[in-house]
Amino acid sequence: MLQLKNNFIFAPVKTGYSDKTGVVTEKHLKFYEARSKFIGAITPEPMYIDKGLREIPTQIGIDNDDKFEGLKKLTDVIHQFDTKVIAHLNHPGRMANPKIPGNYFLSSTGKACEMGGASPKQMNKDDIKHAINLFSDAAKRAEKAGFDIIELQFGHGYLVAQFISPKVNDRTDEYGGSFENRIRFALEVLDAVKEATNLPIIIRISGDEMIPDGIKLEEMIKFSKILKEKSVEAIHVSAGTVCNTPPWYFQHMFVPKGKTWEFAKKIKDEANIPTIFVGQVNSKEDIKNLTDNFKADYIAIGRELVADPDFIGKYYKQITGNVRPCLACAEGCLGGVKAGQGLSCLVNPKVGREIDVFEKAKQSKNIAVVGGGLAGMEAALTLKKRGHHVTLFEKDKLGGQFILAPLTPNKRSMGSLIPYFVKEIEDNNIKVIYKEAKKQDLVNKYDEVIIATGSIPKEIKIDGLDEFYWAEILLKENLPENKKILIIGGGLIGVDIATALIPLNNHVIIVKRTTDFGEDMEMIAKTLSLKMMKEKGTVFSDHTHINKVSGRTVYAKRNEEDIQFNDIDMIVVSTGMKSFNPLENELKDNIRVHVIGDAKKTGNAQDAIKDAYDTAKKL
């Protein structure tokens, strides 16, 4: 057994906090320290085993002895809490990042990933031997640097899985063809690592790659039985492949929660080996379900511990407070890393900035926050925790426009965020006044005012367009069925609205002045939304300018050619938002004013929460 203080493991999540030399930074140390206190083991991000095999330029390396000092600092920081440290070792093969200079690309095949990537060299015997040596050398360094456990990545479409997968492996030698041949490389890697170190070994697999002709559960059960015979301590069961099925690989909100748990349960029961369950574990109820119904040996948690470093402490009631929920949206975690900004989080503005956490205010002030959307609530909570007296004004319901976010079919997980904020407001005894704040409510009654009044739809002037909906069409009482609907505007809001209308048998036409439908969306959500829309017969009309509406006919120009849309039952306008800030000019000569979130500059939910936190941190 792994001999952990409890059965919770922080799964490997890429941070992008290193520099291009692959060293551990102070940012890493603070990030992992914040998540180490209550958990059985921490798995830092996947570490590259050769500088030419990086997935991101700012990845931690374990390829060279010059990394020892930083890696030892990292294991020491985590060990102070009696928490074990797992070294996750991975060779990406053909999935090494083609944009990083100096990277090279090898695989069981000479074929590139169908979804993009470099064309690899099909590995010969020398290449195979070299890759095995990279794994064993990295394992030796891990043990020397104070790691307690080795995890070998045999899934997710990376190199070892490229040998195991019948879809990818097209070899005709002893490493291809039969199941026994396809797992040969994996077992040689395992044997070499076992010989190189005395540390316990975990194997991470994809229980199913979720593609035709890929790795399937039946073979993974068989494989796990063999791994048990080779004294592997646990099997870490995920799903998907980074090449073909990234939503499963990232456990995105668009894939159903619990499928990976079912795979893990089958492997646990049939291979009779300790099994690590993972995938969208983001609530105390999930833990109870996995413990009571799935009899999970270990539970790996990734992004929920990004969103709330104290999640397990709150589960064990060793610390009080509400669980800040992970939405499985990938906006900050995946989006931030891909953008080169490093790991961040939509719901937690402290992520990646643990070095610079706020301090108590030197002087307690009486501050009004006007607007109870995400920005307003985050500002109110941060101000209160810093010692200020806070009053929150909201004319309607707490939550603002984010109330609409979980109303699309694949974004239900976003519905957990507003209840979290509302409960936090209540538990922190922040006074909420439900009215539209006026100048006389604020001047001479507060020391400072934060304006968080959000944004409103941009006005649109089209001849004859008198009746139309905005995103409020998503409300249950407004959702139409069996209608022909024209959506004007094809950004994030327009695409989200379309995905909510289509399942109700509505025929959707979506028009845009440019070409990039869903241009503001997180990439996985965008790809899957557009795919669903196309499959359901959505009409996309780019370079389209609407000129006039007459009855049920809409007249337009597309690439300077006159066109028309006939028999339209309803029109939805989603042509963007503009800041709504009617109070600033009235107040600025009478009281100190701070404008935050969309009221200052339109953006997304993460922008709003971060801006609110940063502003409140300084007052």
Side-chain angles (χ1 to χ4, degrees):
M1 294 296 286
L2 298 176
Q3 297 182 326
L4 311 182
K5 68 183 182 187
N6 60 46
N7 69 332
F8 293 106
I9 297 170
F10 184 22
V13 175
K14 296 182 182 74
T15 66
Y17 293 161
S18 187
D19 56 20
K20 292 185 180 179
T21 68
V23 298
V24 171
T25 64
E26 187 68 17
K27 205 169 179 179
H28 287 120
L29 299 180
K30 292 296 184 184
F31 174 82
Y32 288 112
E33 182 177 24
R35 289 156 178 83
S36 297
K37 188 172 183 180
F38 304 107
I39 197 159
I42 292 277
T43 315
E45 70 173 37
M47 297 179 286
Y48 65 79
I49 58 178
D50 185 305
K51 193 174 182 181
L53 296 172
R54 286 175 290 168
E55 292 184 76
I56 56 175
T58 49
Q59 190 174 355
I60 295 175
I62 194 168
D63 62 317
N64 193 290
D65 291 354
D66 63 3
K67 310 295 193 305
F68 276 136
E69 183 180 354
L71 292 171
K72 187 66 170 66
K73 282 183 183 177
L74 179 57
T75 57
D76 285 348
V77 160
I78 297 168
H79 282 152
Q80 68 180 309
F81 301 107
D82 189 30
T83 298
K84 299 286 182 70
V85 196
I86 301 171
H88 180 94
L89 306 181
N90 178 31
H91 189 312
R94 66 177 183 169
M95 300 316 295
N97 190 333
K99 295 180 181 178
I100 299 177
N103 266 4
Y104 62 93
F105 312 94
L106 300 169
S107 185
S108 62
T109 178
K111 297 180 295 186
C113 168
E114 306 93 326
M115 308 292 280
S119 295
K121 173 192 174 187
Q122 187 175 57
M123 295 167 72
N124 60 30
K125 301 292 174 58
D126 288 339
D127 296 324
I128 288 171
K129 184 177 180 181
H130 178 65
I132 292 168
N133 288 337
L134 288 177
F135 274 106
S136 61
D137 289 347
K140 290 175 189 174
R141 293 190 192 99
E143 186 169 21
K144 186 176 175 183
F147 287 86
D148 306 288
I149 300 163
I150 301 292
E151 178 170 85
L152 299 175
Q153 173 62 283
F154 283 6
H156 282 164
Y158 292 118
L159 179 64
V160 177
Q162 289 160 28
F163 275 82
I164 297 172
S165 176
K167 179 176 176 61
V168 179
N169 189 338
D170 55 3
R171 303 176 73 93
T172 56
D173 62 4
E174 68 267 36
Y175 290 96
S178 69
F179 168 73
E180 290 72 21
N181 283 355
R182 285 183 282 111
I183 65 170
R184 188 183 306 278
F185 175 60
L187 297 181
E188 289 177 353
V189 169
L190 173 59
D191 288 343
V193 171
K194 284 176 63 180
E195 189 175 335
T197 173
N198 293 315
L199 297 180
I201 296 172
I202 296 168
I203 301 296
R204 192 168 202 193
I205 64 170
S206 293
D208 194 303
E209 288 188 319
M210 312 306 286
I211 50 174
D213 306 322
I215 291 171
K216 293 297 177 188
L217 181 60
E218 291 73 21
E219 283 196 341
M220 287 301 95
I221 292 170
K222 192 175 172 183
F223 185 44
S224 297
K225 290 177 179 178
I226 295 169
L227 295 175
K228 183 188 178 184
E229 291 172 4
K230 287 186 164 287
S231 301
V232 165
E233 293 291 341
I235 307 292
H236 187 169
V237 183
S238 187
T241 156
V242 67
C243 171
N244 302 92
T245 50
W248 286 97
Y249 166 70
F250 289 110
Q251 282 297 293
H252 192 270
M253 62 184 171
F254 276 50
V255 303
K257 178 187 288 196
K259 193 67 179 175
T260 54
W261 309 349
E262 294 172 13
F263 296 151
K265 183 72 163 60
K266 279 286 247 184
I267 287 171
K268 170 183 165 61
D269 291 346
E270 296 196 29
N272 192 26
I273 186 169
T275 306
I276 302 170
F277 289 66
V278 73
Q280 295 187 54
V281 182
N282 50 23
S283 71
K284 295 177 183 178
E285 291 74 25
D286 290 338
I287 293 174
K288 181 172 173 52
N289 186 13
L290 284 167
T291 303
D292 294 348
N293 300 321
F294 287 83
K295 310 299 181 188
D297 299 297
Y298 302 97
I299 299 173
I301 302 166
R303 287 170 296 166
E304 179 53 51
L305 281 167
V306 176
D308 190 337
D310 296 324
F311 175 44
I312 299 305
K314 291 172 181 176
Y315 170 75
Y316 280 125
K317 298 182 180 176
Q318 294 175 291
I319 187 171
T320 59
N322 303 301
V323 173
R324 190 183 285 254
C326 168
L327 310 182
C329 63
E331 295 275 358
C333 45
L334 173 60
V337 172
K338 283 199 166 225
Q341 297 161 355
L343 181 73
S344 59
C345 179
L346 185 153
V347 305
N348 186 350
K350 299 177 188 177
V351 173
R353 303 192 294 166
E354 287 84 1
I355 294 170
D356 184 29
V357 178
F358 67 73
E359 298 174 347
K360 285 283 186 179
K362 293 176 182 176
Q363 177 189 352
S364 180
K365 296 180 180 179
N366 192 15
I367 301 176
V369 178
V370 180
L374 298 184
M377 290 190 286
E378 177 65 44
L381 287 165
T382 302
L383 289 168
K384 183 65 184 267
K385 290 171 184 176
R386 292 192 61 229
H388 293 298
H389 300 286
V390 185
T391 303
L392 180 59
F393 287 85
E394 169 53 49
K395 67 178 182 179
D396 191 7
K397 289 196 298 187
L398 293 175
Q401 292 171 19
F402 204 76
I403 290 170
L404 302 172
L407 300 183
T408 56
N410 294 308
K411 294 188 175 182
R412 306 289 187 214
S413 63
M414 288 191 163
S416 59
L417 185 56
I418 291 174
Y420 160 78
F421 269 117
V422 171
K423 187 72 166 57
E424 282 282 284
I425 294 288
E426 292 171 356
D427 290 354
N428 284 275
N429 297 313
I430 294 172
K431 184 179 180 181
V432 181
I433 298 176
Y434 288 97
K435 67 168 291 188
E436 185 173 356
K438 303 292 186 183
K439 179 179 178 180
Q440 59 268 26
D441 298 315
L442 305 168
V443 174
N444 299 323
K445 295 182 180 178
Y446 297 94
D447 299 315
E448 302 189 30
V449 175
I450 288 183
I451 296 176
T453 44
S455 58
I456 57 175
K458 288 179 180 176
E459 294 175 8
I460 184 169
K461 294 183 179 178
I462 296 173
D463 185 25
L465 181 60
D466 301 319
E467 293 185 15
F468 58 91
Y469 282 91
W470 178 67
E472 79 277 3
I473 197 171
L474 296 173
L475 296 171
K476 188 175 181 180
E477 61 268 26
N478 294 336
L479 273 175
E481 295 184 39
N482 303 304
K483 301 291 185 184
K484 188 174 183 181
I485 302 171
L486 176 70
I487 300 175
I488 303 173
L492 182 153
I493 296 173
V495 168
D496 269 357
I497 292 170
T499 62
L501 294 175
I502 290 168
L504 296 172
N505 203 33
N506 294 296
H507 176 59
V508 174
I509 301 164
I510 186 166
V511 303
K512 199 177 193 304
R513 292 193 172 195
T514 55
T515 58
D516 187 9
F517 289 89
E519 62 184 320
D520 311 314
M521 300 181 77
E522 179 273 321
M523 188 52 65
I524 292 176
K526 174 181 176 179
T527 301
L528 294 181
S529 295
L530 295 180
K531 180 174 182 285
M532 184 268 269
M533 290 166 66
K534 289 170 184 172
E535 288 173 350
K536 298 298 183 180
T538 301
V539 174
F540 294 85
S541 185
D542 57 12
H543 293 299
T544 300
H545 298 251
I546 304 297
N547 295 327
K548 186 176 73 170
V549 177
S550 178
R552 297 178 66 203
T553 303
V554 178
Y555 298 89
K557 274 189 179 291
R558 183 171 188 266
N559 294 323
E560 301 308 314
E561 180 181 337
D562 289 329
I563 60 171
Q564 64 187 57
F565 303 102
N566 300 315
D567 304 318
I568 301 299
D569 297 308
M570 302 172 71
I571 294 175
V572 177
V573 175
S574 60
T575 50
M577 309 295 290
K578 64 178 182 179
S579 295
F580 179 67
N581 176 15
L583 272 176
E584 184 180 15
N585 288 333
E586 285 188 58
L587 298 177
K588 64 183 180 182
D589 294 331
N590 301 282
I591 189 171
R592 193 175 180 202
V593 176
H594 311 271
V595 184
I596 64 171
D598 272 12
K600 180 170 71 177
K601 181 183 178 183
T602 57
N604 58 31
Q606 183 173 336
D607 296 331
I609 291 172
K610 181 178 180 293
D611 188 39
Y613 173 77
D614 288 344
T615 301
K617 191 172 72 168
K618 298 171 187 172
L619 299 189

